Each structure stands twice: as C-alpha cells, then as structure tokens.
Amino acid sequence: MERNRGPLGPVSSFPETDYRFGVGTLRMRVERIDWQRPLRYDDETWYEVVGMEVTADGRDVGRRQTLVRARSLAALRGNTPRH
C-alpha cells in the first residue's frame, strides 16, 4: 500500500453503495490505498482503503479498513508517490 503524501488529508465521502461493508455514507481521511492489488467484486474493480473514519461534524471515530469501488477513488488516484 502507498501512504498518503502530505499533511492530514481532507475527508472523503463514500456512499453506502460504493464501499463494503457498512450502513450510510462513510466519511474518512484516506491514509492508504492498495493500488497494486485491485479486487473484482460485483463485476467491478475495488481497492482496499485504510484511513480514519470521521463523523459528519469531523470528529475521529477510529481507524477503518474497507473496500471502495474504483470509480469512487478517481479523485484520489493522483495521490501516489512519484518514482
């Protein structure tokens, strides 16, 4: 997994249909995405994501690891280290 570059990241929101498993919108500061190991689920590409889950008002809930649908991660794709 590649670590998020830079300071504390912004909060990303993922609708219930775009992450596994949970209820409602998932809000988290993404720390790592395993771009090297995509998974196939429901005929779509998913990635393992690790970060800090936060409440709607920004309070930390705790560390979270989940699968997120690739299309929901498009805006984060550029946040990988350059070699």
Side-chain angles (χ1 to χ4, degrees):
M1 282 193 161
E2 301 294 343
R3 189 130 181 96
N4 189 5
R5 291 184 290 136
L8 203 57
V11 174
S12 297
S13 295
F14 304 106
E16 184 176 335
T17 57
D18 285 354
Y19 74 97
R20 300 281 185 217
F21 293 91
V23 177
T25 299
L26 172 63
R27 293 169 186 82
M28 70 186 307
R29 283 192 305 276
V30 174
E31 296 171 0
R32 291 180 283 163
I33 301 171
D34 191 353
W35 296 116
Q36 303 305 312
R37 296 187 323 187
L39 301 166
R40 293 296 290 177
Y41 188 79
D42 288 343
D43 291 323
E44 292 196 55
T45 302
W46 298 70
Y47 291 95
E48 184 178 289
V49 176
V50 177
M52 179 60 69
E53 184 174 356
V54 297
T55 62
D57 63 357
R59 290 179 290 119
D60 289 351
V61 173
R63 299 211 21 95
R64 177 79 184 257
Q65 179 178 339
T66 189
L67 295 177
V68 177
R69 197 182 303 264
R71 69 176 180 228
S72 286
L73 297 171
L76 301 176
R77 182 67 186 182
N79 195 15
T80 57
R82 292 183 176 92
H83 299 290

